[in-house]
Short mmCIF file of all heavy atoms in Angstrom, two decimals:
data_model
loop_
_atom_site.label_atom_id
_atom_site.label_comp_id
_atom_site.label_asym_id
_atom_site.label_seq_id
_atom_site.Cartn_x
_atom_site.Cartn_y
_atom_site.Cartn_z
N PHE A 28 -68.43 -74.79 126.60
CA PHE A 28 -68.36 -75.53 127.88
C PHE A 28 -69.51 -76.53 128.04
O PHE A 28 -69.79 -77.00 129.14
CB PHE A 28 -68.33 -74.55 129.05
CG PHE A 28 -69.22 -73.35 128.87
CD1 PHE A 28 -70.56 -73.38 129.27
CD2 PHE A 28 -68.74 -72.19 128.29
CE1 PHE A 28 -71.38 -72.28 129.08
CE2 PHE A 28 -69.56 -71.08 128.10
CZ PHE A 28 -70.89 -71.13 128.50
N GLY A 29 -70.18 -76.86 126.93
CA GLY A 29 -71.24 -77.86 126.97
C GLY A 29 -71.99 -77.86 125.66
O GLY A 29 -71.75 -77.03 124.78
N ARG A 30 -72.89 -78.82 125.50
CA ARG A 30 -73.74 -78.83 124.32
C ARG A 30 -74.89 -77.84 124.51
O ARG A 30 -75.17 -77.40 125.62
CB ARG A 30 -74.30 -80.23 124.06
CG ARG A 30 -73.26 -81.21 123.55
CD ARG A 30 -73.90 -82.47 123.01
NE ARG A 30 -72.91 -83.47 122.67
CZ ARG A 30 -72.78 -84.06 121.49
NH1 ARG A 30 -73.62 -83.74 120.50
NH2 ARG A 30 -71.87 -84.98 121.27
N VAL A 31 -75.57 -77.57 123.40
CA VAL A 31 -76.69 -76.63 123.40
C VAL A 31 -77.87 -77.28 122.68
O VAL A 31 -77.69 -78.00 121.69
CB VAL A 31 -76.28 -75.30 122.70
CG1 VAL A 31 -77.51 -74.44 122.40
CG2 VAL A 31 -75.28 -74.54 123.57
N THR A 32 -79.07 -77.05 123.20
CA THR A 32 -80.28 -77.56 122.56
C THR A 32 -80.51 -76.83 121.25
O THR A 32 -80.70 -75.62 121.24
CB THR A 32 -81.50 -77.36 123.49
OG1 THR A 32 -81.54 -75.98 123.91
CG2 THR A 32 -81.40 -78.25 124.72
N GLU A 33 -80.49 -77.57 120.14
CA GLU A 33 -80.64 -76.97 118.81
C GLU A 33 -82.12 -76.94 118.43
O GLU A 33 -82.66 -77.90 117.88
CB GLU A 33 -79.81 -77.76 117.78
CG GLU A 33 -79.88 -77.23 116.36
CD GLU A 33 -79.61 -75.74 116.23
OE1 GLU A 33 -80.57 -74.95 116.44
OE2 GLU A 33 -78.47 -75.35 115.90
N PHE A 34 -82.77 -75.83 118.76
CA PHE A 34 -84.22 -75.71 118.54
C PHE A 34 -84.59 -75.62 117.06
O PHE A 34 -85.73 -75.93 116.68
CB PHE A 34 -84.78 -74.51 119.30
CG PHE A 34 -85.08 -74.80 120.74
CD1 PHE A 34 -84.10 -74.71 121.71
CD2 PHE A 34 -86.35 -75.20 121.13
CE1 PHE A 34 -84.38 -74.99 123.04
CE2 PHE A 34 -86.64 -75.48 122.46
CZ PHE A 34 -85.64 -75.38 123.42
N LYS A 35 -83.64 -75.18 116.22
CA LYS A 35 -83.95 -75.12 114.79
C LYS A 35 -84.19 -76.53 114.22
O LYS A 35 -84.90 -76.70 113.24
CB LYS A 35 -82.80 -74.44 114.03
CG LYS A 35 -82.67 -72.95 114.33
CD LYS A 35 -81.70 -72.26 113.41
CE LYS A 35 -80.25 -72.54 113.71
NZ LYS A 35 -79.76 -71.85 114.93
N TYR A 36 -83.62 -77.54 114.87
CA TYR A 36 -83.70 -78.92 114.38
C TYR A 36 -85.15 -79.40 114.30
O TYR A 36 -85.64 -79.81 113.25
CB TYR A 36 -82.87 -79.83 115.30
CG TYR A 36 -82.73 -81.25 114.83
CD1 TYR A 36 -81.64 -81.64 114.06
CD2 TYR A 36 -83.67 -82.21 115.16
CE1 TYR A 36 -81.50 -82.95 113.63
CE2 TYR A 36 -83.54 -83.53 114.73
CZ TYR A 36 -82.45 -83.89 113.97
OH TYR A 36 -82.32 -85.19 113.54
N GLY A 37 -85.86 -79.37 115.42
CA GLY A 37 -87.24 -79.86 115.44
C GLY A 37 -88.16 -79.00 114.60
O GLY A 37 -89.10 -79.50 113.96
N ALA A 38 -87.90 -77.68 114.59
CA ALA A 38 -88.74 -76.78 113.80
C ALA A 38 -88.61 -77.08 112.31
O ALA A 38 -89.63 -77.18 111.59
CB ALA A 38 -88.35 -75.32 114.08
N GLU A 39 -87.40 -77.28 111.83
CA GLU A 39 -87.19 -77.53 110.40
C GLU A 39 -87.60 -78.96 110.02
O GLU A 39 -88.11 -79.19 108.92
CB GLU A 39 -85.73 -77.27 110.02
CG GLU A 39 -85.32 -75.81 110.12
CD GLU A 39 -86.02 -74.91 109.11
OE1 GLU A 39 -86.82 -75.41 108.29
OE2 GLU A 39 -85.77 -73.69 109.14
N LEU A 40 -87.39 -79.91 110.92
CA LEU A 40 -87.81 -81.28 110.63
C LEU A 40 -89.33 -81.35 110.54
O LEU A 40 -89.90 -82.02 109.66
CB LEU A 40 -87.28 -82.22 111.72
CG LEU A 40 -86.97 -83.67 111.34
CD1 LEU A 40 -86.07 -83.73 110.12
CD2 LEU A 40 -86.34 -84.39 112.51
N GLY A 41 -90.00 -80.64 111.44
CA GLY A 41 -91.46 -80.57 111.38
C GLY A 41 -91.95 -79.92 110.10
O GLY A 41 -92.89 -80.41 109.45
N ASN A 42 -91.29 -78.83 109.71
CA ASN A 42 -91.62 -78.16 108.45
C ASN A 42 -91.52 -79.12 107.27
O ASN A 42 -92.39 -79.14 106.39
CB ASN A 42 -90.63 -77.00 108.22
CG ASN A 42 -91.32 -75.66 108.27
OD1 ASN A 42 -92.54 -75.57 108.14
ND2 ASN A 42 -90.53 -74.63 108.46
N ALA A 43 -90.46 -79.92 107.27
CA ALA A 43 -90.23 -80.82 106.15
C ALA A 43 -91.28 -81.92 106.08
O ALA A 43 -91.92 -82.13 105.04
CB ALA A 43 -88.83 -81.42 106.25
N PHE A 44 -91.49 -82.61 107.20
CA PHE A 44 -92.43 -83.73 107.16
C PHE A 44 -93.88 -83.28 107.06
O PHE A 44 -94.75 -84.05 106.64
CB PHE A 44 -92.20 -84.67 108.35
CG PHE A 44 -91.02 -85.59 108.15
CD1 PHE A 44 -89.81 -85.34 108.78
CD2 PHE A 44 -91.11 -86.67 107.29
CE1 PHE A 44 -88.71 -86.17 108.56
CE2 PHE A 44 -90.03 -87.52 107.07
CZ PHE A 44 -88.82 -87.27 107.70
N ARG A 45 -94.16 -82.03 107.41
CA ARG A 45 -95.51 -81.50 107.19
C ARG A 45 -95.74 -81.12 105.73
O ARG A 45 -96.84 -80.71 105.36
CB ARG A 45 -95.74 -80.26 108.08
CG ARG A 45 -95.95 -80.59 109.56
CD ARG A 45 -96.27 -79.33 110.34
NE ARG A 45 -96.39 -79.57 111.77
CZ ARG A 45 -97.49 -80.01 112.38
NH1 ARG A 45 -98.58 -80.25 111.67
NH2 ARG A 45 -97.50 -80.20 113.69
N GLY A 46 -94.70 -81.23 104.92
CA GLY A 46 -94.85 -80.96 103.50
C GLY A 46 -94.56 -79.54 103.09
O GLY A 46 -94.77 -79.17 101.93
N ASN A 47 -94.07 -78.73 104.02
CA ASN A 47 -93.79 -77.32 103.69
C ASN A 47 -92.44 -77.13 103.01
O ASN A 47 -92.15 -76.05 102.50
CB ASN A 47 -93.83 -76.48 104.97
CG ASN A 47 -95.18 -76.56 105.67
OD1 ASN A 47 -96.21 -76.68 105.01
ND2 ASN A 47 -95.17 -76.52 106.99
N ASN A 48 -91.61 -78.17 103.05
CA ASN A 48 -90.26 -78.09 102.49
C ASN A 48 -89.88 -79.52 102.13
O ASN A 48 -89.75 -80.35 103.03
CB ASN A 48 -89.29 -77.52 103.53
CG ASN A 48 -87.96 -77.13 102.93
OD1 ASN A 48 -87.80 -77.09 101.72
ND2 ASN A 48 -86.99 -76.84 103.78
N PRO A 49 -89.75 -79.88 100.86
CA PRO A 49 -89.55 -81.28 100.48
C PRO A 49 -88.43 -81.96 101.27
O PRO A 49 -87.35 -81.39 101.47
CB PRO A 49 -89.19 -81.18 98.99
CG PRO A 49 -89.89 -79.96 98.53
CD PRO A 49 -89.79 -79.00 99.68
N ILE A 50 -88.69 -83.20 101.72
CA ILE A 50 -87.70 -83.89 102.56
C ILE A 50 -86.45 -84.29 101.76
O ILE A 50 -85.45 -84.68 102.35
CB ILE A 50 -88.29 -85.11 103.29
CG1 ILE A 50 -88.76 -86.19 102.31
CG2 ILE A 50 -89.42 -84.70 104.22
CD1 ILE A 50 -89.19 -87.49 103.01
N LYS A 51 -86.48 -84.13 100.45
CA LYS A 51 -85.25 -84.39 99.67
C LYS A 51 -84.12 -83.47 100.13
O LYS A 51 -82.94 -83.81 100.01
CB LYS A 51 -85.51 -84.18 98.17
CG LYS A 51 -85.77 -82.73 97.77
CD LYS A 51 -85.85 -82.57 96.27
CE LYS A 51 -86.02 -81.10 95.86
NZ LYS A 51 -86.03 -80.93 94.40
N TYR A 52 -84.49 -82.30 100.67
CA TYR A 52 -83.47 -81.35 101.10
C TYR A 52 -82.80 -81.74 102.42
O TYR A 52 -81.84 -81.08 102.85
CB TYR A 52 -84.07 -79.94 101.21
CG TYR A 52 -84.47 -79.34 99.89
CD1 TYR A 52 -85.76 -78.86 99.70
CD2 TYR A 52 -83.57 -79.25 98.83
CE1 TYR A 52 -86.15 -78.31 98.48
CE2 TYR A 52 -83.95 -78.70 97.62
CZ TYR A 52 -85.24 -78.24 97.45
OH TYR A 52 -85.61 -77.70 96.24
N LEU A 53 -83.28 -82.79 103.06
CA LEU A 53 -82.67 -83.24 104.31
C LEU A 53 -81.33 -83.93 104.07
O LEU A 53 -80.67 -84.36 105.02
CB LEU A 53 -83.61 -84.19 105.06
CG LEU A 53 -84.95 -83.60 105.51
CD1 LEU A 53 -85.81 -84.68 106.16
CD2 LEU A 53 -84.75 -82.44 106.47
N VAL A 54 -80.90 -84.03 102.83
CA VAL A 54 -79.65 -84.72 102.48
C VAL A 54 -78.45 -84.17 103.25
O VAL A 54 -77.52 -84.91 103.57
CB VAL A 54 -79.41 -84.68 100.95
CG1 VAL A 54 -79.25 -83.24 100.45
CG2 VAL A 54 -78.22 -85.54 100.57
N ASN A 55 -78.46 -82.89 103.57
CA ASN A 55 -77.34 -82.30 104.33
C ASN A 55 -77.84 -81.67 105.63
O ASN A 55 -77.33 -80.64 106.08
CB ASN A 55 -76.59 -81.28 103.49
CG ASN A 55 -77.44 -80.06 103.15
OD1 ASN A 55 -78.66 -80.11 103.19
ND2 ASN A 55 -76.78 -78.95 102.82
N PHE A 56 -78.84 -82.29 106.24
CA PHE A 56 -79.47 -81.72 107.44
C PHE A 56 -78.45 -81.59 108.56
O PHE A 56 -77.62 -82.47 108.77
CB PHE A 56 -80.62 -82.63 107.88
CG PHE A 56 -81.63 -81.96 108.77
CD1 PHE A 56 -82.30 -80.83 108.35
CD2 PHE A 56 -81.91 -82.45 110.03
CE1 PHE A 56 -83.25 -80.21 109.16
CE2 PHE A 56 -82.85 -81.85 110.85
CZ PHE A 56 -83.52 -80.72 110.42
#
């Protein structure tokens, strides 16, 4: 009945750009 705030998005994007998870894996984000 509505959209939902996807909190995993910012957490994983931060992880990637901080270098904890190579950004090459964002290909299917």
Side-chain angles (χ1 to χ4, degrees):
F28 39 88
R30 288 193 187 235
V31 167
T32 52
E33 180 50 277
F34 277 85
K35 291 190 285 286
Y36 186 93
E39 293 293 359
L40 210 51
N42 246 342
F44 281 103
R45 286 184 184 276
N47 301 326
N48 193 11
I50 64 173
K51 68 173 184 177
Y52 292 126
L53 298 177
V54 62
N55 66 338
F56 200 58

